[in-house]
Amino acid sequence: NAGVTQTPKFQVLKTGQSMTLQCAQDMNHEYMSWYRQDPGMGLRLIHYSVGAGITDQGEVPNGYNVSRSTTEDFPLRLLSAAPSQTSVYFCASRLGNEKLFFGSGTQLSVL
Amino acid sequence: EDKVVQSPLSLVVHEGDTVTLNCSYEVTNFRSLLWYKQEKKAPTFLFMLTSSGIEKKSGRLSSILDKKELFSILNITATQTGDSAIYLCAVKNAGGTSYGKLTFGQGTILTVHP
């Protein structure tokens, strides 16, 4: 019973590097989303998807891309990492209007 | 723009104390309010509230919603060190799709000392 699986758990990047955070869920949830969590700012929505082939921007989308080719996977791409993207990233999914299920998070440091 | 404000931002208590965490909101087309507990990593779901005045309870934790005054409280009685965590409040609006939009507050950091 895996739920929402995120990889990697930790990552250190240099400014300008690109990388992809992986997210997969096995609950057949249509809705998937990416959040970043910074001290004192709660969770802020980066991008979300309501189904395969459909994505939309959240509150803080700049510098990030997403795609949703399958129901299960929702990767988040950092195009050119910046120190301001140092944060903890969470992937989350839900079925309709039910509660969100979160992945275990990725701690990203950009030097 | 939707807004969720939690207070206090941090709280330190001793085991056995009772705490009340607050969440106020300004949301267009309110649908539900959710509470999450975040210990080391992923937030875990506590309660979802949709109707005013109906208390939700789970063990020592309880929560209630006031849709007229636009706030919710989360009560924890007889606190234990295992209650130490960040407590997150989130409000869902009806949004442009059937999925709605979830807005999180800043969180309350609760520390329970033995």
Side-chain angles (χ1 to χ4, degrees):
Chain A
N1 195 5
V4 180
T5 304
Q6 265 184 258
T7 56
K9 292 192 187 308
F10 302 95
Q11 183 71 51
V12 179
L13 292 177
K14 293 182 180 176
T15 297
Q17 285 185 313
S18 62
M19 79 157 294
T20 300
L21 307 185
Q22 301 292 345
C23 176
Q25 53 89 12
D26 61 359
M27 298 173 282
N28 204 30
H29 287 172
E30 296 154 327
Y31 183 96
M32 295 186 75
S33 53
W34 278 100
Y35 288 86
R36 59 177 288 173
Q37 186 174 33
D38 302 292
M41 303 198 70
L43 287 159
R44 292 184 292 168
L45 183 65
I46 305 172
H47 285 285
Y48 67 97
S49 167
V50 298
I54 306 168
T55 63
D56 207 347
Q57 295 181 348
E59 187 183 348
V60 288
N62 292 341
Y64 307 95
N65 269 357
V66 291
S67 59
R68 186 91 179 271
S69 56
T70 66
T71 299
E72 294 78 20
D73 300 297
F74 191 46
L76 177 74
R77 296 184 189 84
L78 278 71
L79 308 170
S80 177
S84 60
Q85 293 178 305
T86 293
S87 187
V88 180
Y89 291 84
F90 288 99
C91 179
S93 71
R94 60 182 157 106
L95 189 66
N97 285 306
E98 297 302 312
K99 62 189 180 189
L100 269 178
F101 290 83
F102 285 87
S104 56
T106 297
Q107 193 163 328
L108 176 67
S109 294
V110 183
L111 307 176
Chain B
E1 187 169 318
D2 297 343
K3 192 174 174 185
V4 179
V5 177
Q6 291 184 246
S7 64
L9 293 181
S10 66
L11 191 55
V12 180
V13 300
H14 287 95
E15 273 192 319
D17 288 349
T18 293
V19 298
T20 298
L21 310 183
N22 303 292
C23 176
S24 63
Y25 62 89
E26 295 173 23
V27 172
T28 310
N29 296 322
F30 174 90
R31 178 166 276 173
S32 59
L33 184 145
L34 297 93
W35 284 98
Y36 285 85
K37 178 183 181 183
Q38 184 178 21
E39 294 178 82
K40 294 202 166 73
K41 278 290 184 178
T44 53
F45 173 78
L46 292 175
F47 300 112
M48 181 161 68
L49 303 152
T50 55
S51 302
S52 273
I54 298 174
E55 186 184 55
K56 292 258 179 128
K57 198 168 170 64
S58 176
R60 296 177 293 101
L61 277 68
S62 63
S63 183
I64 197 159
L65 173 67
D66 186 328
K67 287 167 73 172
K68 184 180 173 188
E69 300 298 330
L70 307 182
F71 78 90
S72 172
I73 59 172
L74 175 69
N75 275 323
I76 308 174
T77 59
T79 50
Q80 302 171 357
T81 54
D83 295 326
S84 296
I86 302 173
Y87 290 85
L88 296 165
C89 173
V91 176
K92 192 184 299 178
N93 67 14
T97 71
S98 60
Y99 295 90
K101 180 193 163 191
L102 204 60
T103 301
F104 281 85
Q106 324 94 298
T108 293
I109 302 171
L110 174 65
T111 304
V112 181
H113 287 309

